[in-house]
Amino acid sequence: MSCTYSCSKLILFTVNLVVSICSLAVLVICSLALANMNQLYNLQNLNTDLPVPLALWAIIAVAGVAFVLSFIGCCGAISENSCLLYLFATLLSIVLVMQLVVIGFVYYQQDNFRAQINSVLNSTLHDYPTSKDPIVRKTWDTIQTDFECCGINGPEDWKHVFNNDTLPNSCCKAIAEGSSCHARNDDAPPYLSGCLEVINSKLDPVFISVLFVCVAEIFGIIIACCLSSSISAQYRTV
């Protein structure tokens, strides 16, 4: 009994630690994605109530709550407080349902997400060399540098913007200071992947991370209930 009890505490603590780490990772990824997307949305005066930012905000909110609850679960396991563990299990069950709803929404709207991202990228690409607002250039440079991509579907997209083989410097991996980036650079070749493909691929790890958190939370709920019952039984025995 003592060994099982100790193992349950250790497992619950480990599960909550995993949930907190995964939740923190989801928070960081979604926050960075939201920051880049919001710059483009605000620039083009697009409706920020559309699915992409809404989904990101929903994931951030749920991940934040899960992170806080995982801390409560750790405290409950360490302090052997049955009430705290029951509270943790109840709240975590609510969060789990919320996460499943968000996952369902994201899965249902995934084609809309991709179409919307494509629309935002297309609407700003041609403004890069001519826009008086530095946010266009800065945002595109940030996206291409951070995601290691070039253009929407590849470097060839910039031919329709510059009418030659010139590329933004952010398209090249290691451009020397004072040099220009070109499609045929040998010393500093451009990124070959388009930003649309790369950004879309970044959505999958978020989806998988949230699913992983859900699975960990299910184990956490079960173990917390069992551990709380065990603690209550010990007190009744005493």
Side-chain angles (χ1 to χ4, degrees):
M1 178 70 178
S2 177
C3 180
T4 304
Y5 178 76
S6 299
C7 288
S8 297
K9 283 182 61 178
L10 180 60
I11 293 172
L12 181 60
F13 183 84
T14 303
V15 167
N16 279 293
L17 184 62
V18 170
V19 170
S20 63
I21 293 172
C22 290
S23 298
L24 188 60
V26 171
L27 279 170
V28 172
I29 293 171
C30 289
S31 297
L32 290 174
L34 189 63
N36 284 329
M37 288 300 297
N38 275 345
Q39 286 183 326
L40 291 175
Y41 275 92
N42 293 335
L43 180 66
Q44 293 298 307
N45 295 317
L46 295 176
N47 183 6
T48 54
D49 292 331
L50 290 172
V52 173
L54 274 179
L56 290 174
W57 274 118
I59 294 173
I60 288 172
V62 174
V65 174
F67 179 79
V68 174
L69 286 181
S70 64
F71 178 75
I72 294 175
C74 289
C75 293
I78 294 172
S79 63
E80 300 182 4
N81 188 318
S82 61
C83 292
L84 196 59
L85 287 172
Y86 273 128
L87 176 64
F88 163 74
T90 302
L91 294 177
L92 194 59
S93 299
I94 296 173
V95 170
L96 177 62
V97 173
M98 292 170 60
Q99 285 176 328
L100 292 175
V101 171
V102 171
I103 290 173
F105 175 75
V106 171
Y107 181 79
Y108 179 75
Q109 291 285 346
Q110 59 180 327
D111 291 337
N112 195 2
F113 291 166
R114 288 174 169 81
Q116 192 180 1
I117 292 171
N118 186 27
S119 174
V120 172
L121 293 177
N122 270 300
S123 64
T124 56
L125 183 73
H126 290 273
D127 293 333
Y128 183 90
T130 59
S131 178
K132 296 179 181 179
D133 194 331
I135 294 180
V136 177
R137 185 181 293 270
K138 180 181 178 181
T139 302
W140 261 106
D141 287 340
T142 300
I143 290 174
Q144 292 183 144
T145 301
D146 290 351
F147 291 109
E148 297 186 348
C149 58
C150 185
I152 299 173
N153 299 301
E156 62 277 2
D157 290 334
W158 291 108
K159 290 182 180 179
H160 306 294
V161 177
F162 294 107
N163 296 319
N164 52 43
D165 65 348
T166 301
L167 299 172
N169 284 353
S170 54
C171 270
C172 288
K173 298 179 181 179
I175 191 74
E177 188 175 352
S179 301
S180 299
C181 182
H182 296 277
R184 295 180 178 83
N185 272 18
D186 294 326
D187 297 333
Y191 300 116
L192 299 179
S193 299
C195 293
L196 180 62
E197 175 189 352
V198 175
I199 292 174
N200 284 336
S201 69
K202 297 296 182 182
L203 295 176
D204 294 332
V206 174
F207 187 72
I208 293 171
S209 297
V210 175
L211 279 177
F212 186 79
V213 170
C214 287
V215 173
E217 286 172 350
I218 292 173
F219 280 105
I221 292 168
I222 295 172
I223 296 170
C225 290
C226 293
L227 187 58
S228 182
S229 298
S230 178
I231 293 172
S232 299
Q234 282 187 351
Y235 278 115
R236 285 196 297 269
T237 303
V238 175

